[in-house]
């Protein structure tokens, strides 16, 4: 029996020491790590979840603790000559449920108590902030070297409290005072690095820590988390070959499919495209192209923010154009969900207009695009989550076989039995439902939805047919078909060779559903 001895992939392993001692694969980021550690002191960086933030902090920890043996063969080995040892205070706020004020107080106090056991406690240090300052001061005085403070997921309590304003304000005030210690204790510190998903506005959590160097969108460090295409091809040739063989693809085809599904994150307009590391490693481990990153966390709170803000979902799906100031910081008081959606990894930088300083944000890749759109369907239609895949598959099959009546009957079901709170939505809500259906069909066939005037509402291309749909709100099917002819919607496809099919549809506002339709080939 042949035994497949695959290389060890560090899926879910976030400790640098474990990765190195137990011979897991490691993409060498230590040159960038060394550059950050030796070119400044207080840093902040935001990145989406499962993107390597915790591993980066663990790498800093091993470096500042002088564990030289862990870095043998890596880039930093040639850059560092001293390997000084520093006390490292590593605070991880990720593994806790923050649903009451005491939860944050407890985890901070517990961590401080453990540090006090090592470095002592002052009699008058009664608050969390005073205790933190005292620990830093004594640790520095005891060793004669500056202390290193690493904070992982600094914003986890705030994100969990977004729907509870009193709790959010309590957490914000607590963390503002706690993190503010890092400014007043500056003379005792060698290095500070905070990570999180979200950059909350300066006026809140970081107002007392305004000297932080935010490198979230620095070109020099845009590739420090994630995997570049160059790194993927350099470090993972055996895995690419195995993935290709399992899926009957050439290595080039296997890599191209990985690019479409997992690449496309940009943390600077000119920065390298980054692959999601969790999805890449999971794909190599299972040898299947799955939605690994998306399924590790559902964006329910983001969808709720979208609904509350009445943001046009179609604009989100096609790409949002914004100035940098509108998406790099999240302000709780602002009715704008885009910063959280961007920083959570569901949107990324796709284009940059240098003249007007505007960014185009869009889905980074197919995994995120179709995962997010699929997730939206139960929020905007009556179709249960477990049935949406069935419906979309049937939609595609019916158009491939030319069965427009079955397609329209099924589409009508999407508008049946809406929850009461959706019944009074504007016309735009129903347009969004059409939009979601046709966008999801785009996973399996060439489907376009109107994004500008002068185009049909929807165009779907199958091997045999090209369908042009026009929907009329409280209009007739004859008017819809006439508009297709009058505005020349079929002209771009006249030389295609496939059968052209016009579909006129009436939508009855009072019934909140599709009325009649007519097909002209």
């Amino acid at each position: 029996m042949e035994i497949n001895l695959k290389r060890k992939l560090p899926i879910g392993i976030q400790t640098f020491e474990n990765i190195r001692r137990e011979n897991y694969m490691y993409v060498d980021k230590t040159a960038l790590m060394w550059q950050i550690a030796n070119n400044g002191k207080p840093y902040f960086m935001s990145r989406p979840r499962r993107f390597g933030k915790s591993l980066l902090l663990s790498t800093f920890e091993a470096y500042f603790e002088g564990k030289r043996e862990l870095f043998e063969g890596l880039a930093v080995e040639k850059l560092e000559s001293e390997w000084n040892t520093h006390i490292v205070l590593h605070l991880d706020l990720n593994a806790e449920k923050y649903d009451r004020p005491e939860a944050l107080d407890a985890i901070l106090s517990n961590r401080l108590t453990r540090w006090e056991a090592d470095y002592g406690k002052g009699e008058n240090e009664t608050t969390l902030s005073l205790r933190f300052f005292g620990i830093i001061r004594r640790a520095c005085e005891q060793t004669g070297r500056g202390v290193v403070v690493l904070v992982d997921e600094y914003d986890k309590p705030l994100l969990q409290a977004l729907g509870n304003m009193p709790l959010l304000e309590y957490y914000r005030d607590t963390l503002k005072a706690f993190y503010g210690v890092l400014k007043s204790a500056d003379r005792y510190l060698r290095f500070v690095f905070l990570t999180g998903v979200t950059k909350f506005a300066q006026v809140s959590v970081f107002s007392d820590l305004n000297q932080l160097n935010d490198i979230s969108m620095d070109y020099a460090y845009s590739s420090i988390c994630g995997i570049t295409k160059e790194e993927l091809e350099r470090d993972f040739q055996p895995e690419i070959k195995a993935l290709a063989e399992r899926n009957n693809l050439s290595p080039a085809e296997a890599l191209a499919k990985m690019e479409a599904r997992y690449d496309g994150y940009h943390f600077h307009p000119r920065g390298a495209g980054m692959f999601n590391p969790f999805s890449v490693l999971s794909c190599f481990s299972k040898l299947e192209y799955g939605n690994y990153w998306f399924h590790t966390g559902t964006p329910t709170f983001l969808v709720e923010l979208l609904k509350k803000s009445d943001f046009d979902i179609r604009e989100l799906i096609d790409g949002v154009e914004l100035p940098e100031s509108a998406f790099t910081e999240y302000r709780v008081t602002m009715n704008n969900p885009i910063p959280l959606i961007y920083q959570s990894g569901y949107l990324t930088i796709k284009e940059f207009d240098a003249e007007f300083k505007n960014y185009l944000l869009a889905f980074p890749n197919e995994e995120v695009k179709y995962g997010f759109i699929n997730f939206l369907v139960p929020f905007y239609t009556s179709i249960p989550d477990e049935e949406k895949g069935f419906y979309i598959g049937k939609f595609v099959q019916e158009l491939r076989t030319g069965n427009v009546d079955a397609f329209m009957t099924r589409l009508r079901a999407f508008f049946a039995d809406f929850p009461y709170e959706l019944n009074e939505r504007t016309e735009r809500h129903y347009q969004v439902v059409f939009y979601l259906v046709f966008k999801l069909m785009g996973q399996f066939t060439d489907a376009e939805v109107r994004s500008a005037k002068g185009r049909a509402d929807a165009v779907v291309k199958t091997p045999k047919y090209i369908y042009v749909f026009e929907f009329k709100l409280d209009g007739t099917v004859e008017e819809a078909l006439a508009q297709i002819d009058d505005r020349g919607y079929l002209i771009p496809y006249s030389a295609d060779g496939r059968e052209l099919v016009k579909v006129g549809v009436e939508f009855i506002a009072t019934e909140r559903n599709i009325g009649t339709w007519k097909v002209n080939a």
Side-chain angles (χ1 to χ4, degrees):
M1 182 178 68
E2 181 180 351
I3 299 176
N4 183 15
L5 297 176
K6 295 194 296 184
R7 296 194 295 178
K8 297 173 70 174
L9 302 174
I11 301 172
I13 299 175
Q14 302 171 348
T15 304
F16 177 75
E17 183 167 355
N18 287 350
I19 287 175
R20 298 294 289 167
R21 293 197 188 282
E22 298 176 23
N23 198 33
Y24 283 93
M25 283 293 299
Y26 175 70
V27 177
D28 190 356
K29 303 285 186 177
T30 60
L32 289 174
M33 182 274 301
W34 184 89
Q35 187 176 340
I36 292 171
N38 289 279
N39 284 325
K41 181 187 292 187
Y43 289 96
F44 168 79
M45 187 182 70
S46 67
R47 284 292 185 271
R49 59 185 171 80
R50 297 277 186 153
F51 231 92
K53 299 187 299 295
S54 297
L55 176 57
L56 176 61
L57 287 192
S58 180
T59 309
F60 277 123
E61 183 172 13
Y63 167 73
F64 280 112
E65 289 180 343
K67 297 180 179 179
R68 182 174 186 171
E69 71 280 5
L70 298 179
F71 295 89
E72 290 181 5
L74 300 180
V76 73
E77 187 180 30
K78 298 178 180 179
L79 297 171
E80 183 58 63
S81 58
E82 297 182 358
W83 294 98
N84 290 324
T85 301
H86 299 264
I87 288 175
V88 177
L89 305 179
H90 190 164
L91 175 64
D92 183 358
L93 295 182
N94 190 49
E96 182 63 59
K97 183 178 181 180
Y98 298 98
D99 55 0
R100 63 195 192 286
E102 302 80 34
L104 177 58
D105 293 345
I107 196 168
L108 293 178
S109 182
N110 178 268
R111 175 52 67 176
L112 292 171
T113 299
R114 293 171 62 183
W115 290 333
E116 286 165 343
D118 293 327
Y119 311 114
K121 179 180 180 181
E123 292 182 6
N124 297 323
E125 295 169 2
T126 55
T127 67
L128 296 172
S129 302
L130 287 174
R131 292 170 66 191
F132 191 27
F133 182 93
I135 290 166
I136 294 172
R137 178 180 58 80
R138 285 187 295 276
C140 177
E141 291 173 348
Q142 289 170 20
T143 62
R145 288 201 178 109
V147 174
V148 172
V149 175
L150 306 173
V151 182
D152 197 5
E153 304 290 2
Y154 90 97
D155 56 344
K156 188 67 174 286
L158 303 171
L159 289 173
Q160 290 195 2
L162 278 180
N164 184 337
M165 187 56 68
L167 185 60
L168 179 64
E169 291 180 352
Y170 181 87
Y171 286 164
R172 184 174 57 192
D173 291 343
T174 300
L175 292 176
K176 175 182 175 182
F178 192 81
Y179 296 139
V181 169
L182 299 174
K183 183 176 183 178
S184 56
D186 179 72
R187 62 190 180 277
Y188 303 116
L189 294 167
R190 162 63 178 86
F191 183 77
V192 173
F193 201 101
L194 289 83
T195 73
V197 169
T198 306
K199 175 70 180 296
F200 279 83
Q202 290 289 113
V203 296
S204 57
V205 179
F206 291 150
S207 58
D208 291 339
L209 190 56
N210 51 17
Q211 87 278 26
L212 276 178
N213 181 8
D214 182 1
I215 60 171
S216 303
M217 292 182 63
D218 280 18
Y219 173 77
Y221 307 123
S222 59
S223 63
I224 196 165
C225 289
I227 301 172
T228 66
K229 184 179 180 181
E230 180 183 2
E231 291 166 339
L232 193 68
E233 293 181 299
R234 181 193 71 200
D235 296 346
F236 294 96
Q237 280 299 318
E239 286 75 21
I240 293 172
K241 182 181 178 181
L243 179 67
E245 291 176 353
R246 174 66 64 87
N247 291 274
N248 297 316
L249 301 169
S250 69
E253 290 170 334
L255 185 59
K257 193 167 182 178
M258 290 194 77
E259 283 188 84
R261 293 189 69 90
Y262 309 130
D263 191 12
Y265 295 88
H266 291 269
F267 302 108
H268 185 277
R270 297 188 305 277
M274 302 304 297
F275 284 76
N276 183 301
F278 184 78
S279 289
V280 164
L281 296 176
S282 298
C283 180
F284 283 148
S285 175
K286 300 180 184 300
L287 300 179
E288 295 180 357
Y289 295 95
N291 294 331
Y292 301 108
W293 177 82
F294 194 90
H295 287 161
T296 62
T298 55
T300 304
F301 77 104
L302 295 177
V303 175
E304 294 296 340
L305 282 176
L306 279 169
K307 291 171 67 177
K308 289 179 182 177
S309 67
D310 202 28
F311 193 88
D312 192 337
I313 295 295
R314 295 169 297 172
E315 184 180 350
L316 177 72
I317 293 172
D318 280 339
V320 184
E321 189 173 355
L322 293 167
E324 180 181 334
S325 59
F327 71 89
T328 53
E329 290 188 343
Y330 177 65
R331 298 176 184 270
V332 178
T333 56
M334 296 290 285
N335 192 28
N336 177 17
I338 296 303
L340 270 184
I341 296 174
Y342 161 74
Q343 292 166 2
S344 298
Y346 298 99
L347 295 176
T348 194
I349 299 169
K350 286 298 183 182
E351 295 178 12
F352 176 62
D353 185 328
E355 181 180 5
F356 298 104
K357 307 296 183 185
N358 285 333
Y359 291 76
L360 176 66
L361 307 181
F363 293 122
N365 50 48
E366 290 181 0
E367 177 186 15
V368 177
K369 176 181 179 180
Y370 292 118
F372 198 88
I373 297 174
N374 264 297
F375 190 77
L376 286 173
V377 168
F379 289 88
Y380 286 86
T381 77
S382 61
I383 303 303
D385 182 65
E386 63 273 10
E387 294 183 18
K388 60 180 182 286
F390 169 80
Y391 270 77
I392 298 302
K394 288 294 184 182
F395 280 141
V396 174
Q397 291 170 1
E398 286 154 359
L399 291 187
R400 283 174 178 168
T401 58
N403 194 345
V404 180
D405 287 339
F407 173 86
M408 292 305 304
T409 301
R410 193 175 303 281
L411 184 60
R412 179 186 276 165
F414 260 66
F415 295 92
D417 301 322
F418 271 164
Y420 176 80
E421 63 269 18
L422 297 183
N423 285 348
E424 301 305 322
R425 287 296 179 96
T426 63
E427 172 189 349
R428 193 176 77 189
H429 176 79
Y430 303 101
Q431 293 170 341
V432 165
V433 176
F434 288 124
Y435 204 78
L436 292 174
V437 169
F438 285 101
K439 282 293 183 180
L440 283 175
M441 288 172 59
Q443 296 172 87
F444 311 102
T445 191
D446 189 351
E448 303 170 6
V449 198
R450 184 178 66 186
S451 59
K453 293 183 178 180
R455 294 175 57 185
D457 282 334
V459 176
V460 179
K461 301 174 185 177
T462 70
K464 289 181 63 176
Y465 306 97
I466 294 180
Y467 298 92
V468 176
F469 291 84
E470 186 64 30
F471 296 88
K472 279 293 181 183
L473 181 68
D474 290 332
T476 66
V477 292
E478 287 75 17
E479 290 172 338
L481 291 171
Q483 183 169 320
I484 294 174
D485 292 330
D486 294 344
R487 299 191 181 179
Y489 292 157
L490 289 175
I491 293 175
Y493 315 107
S494 57
D496 184 276
R498 282 174 282 188
E499 183 176 343
L500 303 182
V501 181
K502 298 181 291 187
V503 185
V505 185
E506 69 167 342
F507 191 91
I508 304 172
T510 55
E511 296 181 12
R512 304 181 184 90
N513 210 326
I514 291 171
T516 59
W517 59 85
K518 190 173 183 180
V519 181
N520 280 353

